[in-house]
Amino acid sequence: MNVQSEISRKQNSHIRYLILIIVFLITSVNYADRATLSIAGSTVAKELGLDTADMGLIFSAFGWSYLLMQLPGGWLLDKYGSKKVYAFSLFFWSLFTFLQGFVHLLPLAYTVVTFFILRFLLGVAEAPSFPANARIVAAWFPTRERATASSFFNAGQYFALALFSPLLGWLTYAWGWQHVFTVMGSVGFVLTLIWLKYIHNPSEHPAMSARELDYIVQGGAMIDMDYKKIDPLQNGPKWNYVKQMLSNRMLMGVFLGQYFINTITWFFLTWFPIYLVQERGMSILKVGLVASIPAICGFTGGILGGISSDWLLKRGLSLTAARKIPIVAGMLLATTIILCNYTDNEILVVALMALSFFGKGFGALGWPVISDTAPKEAAGLCGGIFNAFGNVASIATPLIIGYMVKEMHSFNSALVFIGASAIAALLCYLLVVGEIKRMELKKSTINNG
């Protein structure tokens, strides 16, 4: 009886949820490391004598390298697998975060250059992370659970702001801005060890039951994605693959939509805390607490968006409708950020920001859509292209807003810019994407690659 009980228990394993929790925690730290300079930004700028243009340049450094490394990162994932590439990625981005805590030891003349280089290297190291997340979800989850799983790891960005904004704000206030970077780097080193110990391919995981494996395989999980095999991608990224994906109207609509959605994200990751200090006169300690409120709402919206999409799919709606309805609704809510220009009430400003970030989270279903549409032969490469488009915003948004604030001496036009980006994302999905389905690469191109 005891043996049968043990067999039954193992048959009912849910190890995919443990994998998802680990990915969620690492994604949260991933975004917290991007936001470290934003939280400590006002203090760093004051202590090191940096103006808004300097800060905009430093903020953009991450985006340049993150963008440039998307295709190489996607190719590395398809060639070497998610576990190995992610482990290197996590370790090195933690190292570059840690080193930013020592920039103040250098002469002030080298501060901007050093910060730029370290943020640039941070982008290089983090580049494979989100395509890897998408590959892991595609390998571990059936189609009908994929939006919820993808939204859960994607919600790590909001969780990061909710959890780490107060912590990092307090560290800046109590210990100094340097400890924001050293603490977050140390957390990343610990997570690297956890990743290496607990992450395996689905069919190789020691805690994986035959029943769960069969369930995810029958549901469409691509469990063999990381197995060594003869692969047309093995000698390098195939540019004819890239050309096919860039000439596909559906994928181009998704790629462009992600750029506009990420514009909203990067406002909150870079300029939002500085907006609260400079435009609304809040203290850095108060900002750490206040910034967590929209982040909590974004996290809630992110989870509910994925759950709603999968619920609509289970209720019989088409994949296209189930994905697009939450995206359109979320982007409409995100436009409420513009209303902050018409009130001086701090509570109302925070409430509008929270509603906007909730909407952004609710509609941020780009990664589930990529999991649904990426060609099986090039899932990592497709995720890299998608992330490259999306993270043009990580370069453009800090620079554009920095210029707007410097020239116009206010954030009013910046908030209009963010609201307009939400409308543009909505239009991409309504007018460009069309039917959502998995793209198939042309066989003749694969054979001639």
Side-chain angles (χ1 to χ4, degrees):
M1 179 68 76
N2 289 336
V3 173
Q4 279 188 321
S5 223
E6 177 66 14
I7 291 173
S8 175
R9 183 190 67 79
K10 292 189 73 176
Q11 283 180 336
N12 290 310
S13 71
H14 297 286
I15 195 65
R16 64 190 184 279
Y17 300 130
L18 172 62
I19 302 299
L20 184 60
I21 289 170
I22 293 173
V23 171
F24 168 78
L25 291 174
I26 291 174
T27 301
S28 299
V29 171
N30 179 297
Y31 262 86
D33 287 346
R34 301 183 196 191
T36 46
L37 188 58
S38 176
I39 298 297
S42 295
T43 304
V44 170
K46 183 178 179 180
E47 183 173 322
L48 301 181
L50 308 178
D51 63 20
T52 55
D54 291 329
M55 293 301 292
L57 180 64
I58 294 170
F59 279 138
S60 74
F62 173 92
W64 288 108
S65 56
Y66 192 77
L67 173 64
L68 291 172
M69 288 301 295
Q70 285 306 307
L71 292 186
W75 168 71
L76 287 170
L77 288 165
D78 287 327
K79 182 173 175 64
Y80 295 108
S82 303
K83 179 177 180 177
K84 185 181 296 185
V85 174
Y86 215 143
F88 279 101
S89 175
L90 174 55
F91 173 80
F92 280 105
W93 95 53
S94 301
L95 176 63
F96 297 134
T97 298
F98 185 84
L99 291 176
Q100 288 175 70
F102 300 92
V103 170
H104 66 290
L105 299 178
L106 298 171
L108 288 178
Y110 299 109
T111 299
V112 174
V113 173
T114 305
F115 254 131
F116 186 93
I117 291 172
L118 288 174
R119 297 288 293 182
F120 187 92
L121 292 173
L122 178 67
V124 171
E126 286 199 4
S129 57
F130 265 70
N133 289 347
R135 291 178 95 256
I136 291 166
V137 166
W140 277 91
F141 286 85
T143 301
R144 67 178 184 173
E145 295 181 4
R146 203 167 284 158
T148 300
S150 297
S151 295
F152 188 73
F153 83 67
N154 197 43
Q157 62 185 282
Y158 317 110
F159 181 78
L161 294 177
L163 174 65
F164 291 109
S165 289
L167 172 62
L168 300 183
W170 177 79
L171 279 174
T172 302
Y173 176 79
W175 290 5
W177 60 266
Q178 299 88 346
H179 294 282
V180 169
F181 300 102
T182 56
V183 168
M184 291 309 304
S186 300
V187 170
F189 295 144
V190 173
L191 285 175
T192 304
L193 298 176
I194 293 173
W195 177 267
L196 291 171
K197 181 176 176 61
Y198 290 103
I199 300 297
H200 305 274
N201 290 324
S203 59
E204 297 170 345
H205 202 289
M208 187 73 160
S209 69
R211 179 178 294 180
E212 184 179 11
L213 184 62
D214 182 65
Y215 170 73
I216 67 172
V217 169
Q218 294 301 318
M222 296 186 287
I223 65 165
D224 59 348
M225 197 178 289
D226 279 357
Y227 292 150
K228 289 186 178 295
K229 55 187 180 295
I230 297 174
D231 187 279
L233 285 172
Q234 63 185 344
N235 295 321
K238 297 296 183 181
W239 293 108
N240 48 30
Y241 280 24
V242 176
K243 182 178 179 181
Q244 284 190 69
M245 287 185 274
L246 292 179
S247 62
N248 182 280
R249 176 174 171 171
M250 172 191 67
L251 287 181
M252 277 303 300
V254 176
F255 296 159
L256 291 171
Q258 187 67 4
Y259 164 76
F260 292 114
I261 291 172
N262 267 15
T263 297
I264 308 169
T265 301
W266 278 96
F267 166 73
F268 280 96
L269 281 178
T270 56
W271 286 108
F272 176 53
I274 296 173
Y275 163 79
L276 294 178
V277 172
Q278 293 185 1
E279 193 85 357
R280 299 296 170 176
M282 297 184 187
S283 68
I284 187 64
L285 187 59
K286 185 175 182 180
V287 164
L289 295 172
V290 169
S292 69
I293 297 172
I296 292 169
C297 292
F299 172 79
T300 304
I303 297 295
L304 290 179
I307 292 174
S308 299
S309 181
D310 281 342
W311 179 81
L312 291 171
L313 192 60
K314 292 172 185 176
R315 295 287 293 180
L317 271 69
S318 68
L319 182 63
T320 301
R323 299 299 189 238
K324 286 187 179 182
I325 289 172
I327 292 171
V328 171
M331 291 304 103
L332 286 173
L333 286 176
T335 62
T336 57
I337 195 171
I338 298 172
L339 298 177
C340 293
N341 289 338
Y342 301 98
T343 179
D344 293 323
N345 187 297
E346 280 190 3
I347 294 175
L348 186 55
V349 166
V350 174
L352 288 169
M353 288 286 182
L355 180 61
S356 177
F357 214 19
F358 173 89
K360 185 271 170 183
F362 193 83
L365 293 180
W367 283 109
V369 172
I370 285 297
S371 294
D372 294 326
T373 58
K376 292 182 179 180
E377 301 90 343
L381 191 59
C382 185
I385 297 170
F386 169 78
N387 217 23
F389 269 84
N391 281 281
V392 170
S394 67
I395 301 170
T397 304
L399 290 175
I400 291 171
I401 292 179
Y403 177 80
M404 285 179 169
V405 174
K406 184 176 182 179
E407 293 300 316
M408 302 178 187
H409 307 291
S410 109
F411 278 84
N412 288 355
S413 58
L415 299 190
V416 173
F417 170 69
I418 299 303
S421 296
I423 293 295
L426 179 158
L427 293 176
C428 283
Y429 275 91
L430 286 181
L431 302 181
V432 182
V433 171
E435 182 184 2
I436 293 175
K437 59 183 179 181
R438 189 166 304 282
M439 179 195 172
E440 295 184 5
L441 295 169
K442 294 178 182 178
K443 297 299 181 182
S444 59
T445 306
I446 296 173
N447 294 334
N448 296 330

